[in-house]
Amino acid sequence: SYELTQPPSVSVSPGQTASITCSGDTLGHKYVCWYQQKPGQSPVLVIYHDRKRPSGIPERFSGSNSGNTATLTISGTQAIDEADYYCQAWDSSTGVFGGGTKLTVL
Amino acid sequence: QVQLQESGPGLVKPPQTLSLTCTVSGGSINSDNHYWSWIRQPPGKGLEWIGSIYNSGSTYYSPSLKSRLTISVDTSKNQFSLKLSSVTVADTAVYYCARGGEVEQNFDYWGQGTQVTVSS
């Protein structure tokens, strides 16, 4: 079965840039979404189609996808961005989520 | 604004069947270019896609759950449902329903989630 691999944790200082990676076989040939989940809350879509932002998502969130790796980048990271982040893609009509990355804003 | 709300028992005994319903408001479950999905999250763990149903009636299930899973739609009630049979403690999780976009290939609206505990 298809797998997406994320680092368990990423730390960033306020105002700096955070990068969260998601790896999978030929992932660049698939569309990747990213979801933000804060404790006790439902996930929120922050990036779809690799790099598109839904309405209401701040411009500091951006995405890219090439080769075997997709990346979520948060520029000028704020304390409110501290959360778990999950990548997601489709493989043969099967939904696949990465294991999640806990972003800590120190 | 589309809203989704899960409902169903919070406690299920093994090896009974877990049944949940998702009620959609603010939009039609018959809307073109959308699919309706179930996703779960075991305690302290990550998200797991369970399955999706399209307006055509086509269903797609997680290979690991396929033998125990049924997802269906009731258009008259604007609801879709999940049935997972022969549950074990490993099925304990927060269960989310979500709407997906066929073009966008995302999950753009989520329910608040419902905790289901499997215990005798």
Side-chain angles (χ1 to χ4, degrees):
Chain A
S1 61
Y2 192 79
E3 294 184 357
L4 294 175
T5 301
Q6 298 181 235
S9 63
V10 168
S11 297
V12 65
S13 300
Q16 298 304 302
T17 297
S19 295
I20 300 173
T21 58
C22 174
S23 299
D25 187 42
T26 63
L27 184 58
H29 292 168
K30 307 178 189 299
Y31 279 130
V32 174
C33 301
W34 290 91
Y35 301 88
Q36 176 194 69
Q37 187 182 33
K38 296 182 179 179
Q41 297 183 19
S42 302
V44 173
L45 178 69
V46 294
I47 292 288
Y48 68 99
H49 271 193
D50 298 338
R51 60 182 65 248
K52 296 182 179 179
R53 281 180 292 105
S55 173
I57 299 302
E59 290 184 7
R60 63 180 181 274
F61 288 88
S62 63
S64 63
N65 184 20
S66 179
N68 294 323
T69 304
T71 303
L72 173 69
T73 302
I74 309 173
S75 304
T77 307
Q78 301 181 10
I80 58 171
D81 300 327
E82 186 163 286
D84 293 328
Y85 290 86
Y86 295 90
C87 60
Q88 180 258 318
W90 293 90
D91 179 69
S92 301
S93 299
T94 298
V96 182
F97 284 95
T101 297
K102 181 175 181 59
L103 177 67
T104 301
V105 182
L106 298 171
Chain B
Q1 177 82 346
V2 174
Q3 293 184 314
L4 297 92
Q5 178 68 59
E6 304 89 351
S7 59
L11 180 63
V12 182
K13 295 183 187 321
Q16 293 180 350
T17 295
L18 182 163
S19 297
L20 295 175
T21 296
C22 182
T23 300
V24 179
S25 58
S28 172
I29 203 165
N30 269 332
S31 63
D32 291 340
N33 301 320
H34 291 114
Y35 51 88
W36 307 93
S37 302
W38 290 97
I39 295 153
R40 69 182 183 180
Q41 186 169 33
K45 295 188 178 181
L47 301 171
E48 177 187 14
W49 176 78
I50 296 171
S52 301
I53 186 165
Y54 288 66
N55 285 338
S56 63
S58 298
T59 51
Y60 297 91
Y61 297 154
S62 167
S64 65
L65 299 172
K66 186 175 183 177
S67 63
R68 302 191 288 130
L69 182 62
T70 302
I71 296 176
S72 59
V73 167
D74 186 337
T75 56
S76 67
K77 295 181 179 179
N78 227 35
Q79 296 175 335
F80 63 106
S81 299
L82 162 86
K83 290 187 187 298
L84 184 65
S85 64
S86 304
V87 296
T88 71
V89 294
D91 295 310
T92 294
V94 174
Y95 285 74
Y96 296 99
C97 59
R99 188 187 82 165
E102 290 190 26
V103 174
E104 299 83 356
Q105 298 185 33
N106 58 17
F107 300 109
D108 56 356
Y109 288 96
W110 295 64
Q112 65 183 31
T114 187
Q115 173 68 49
V116 177
T117 301
V118 179
S119 174
S120 55

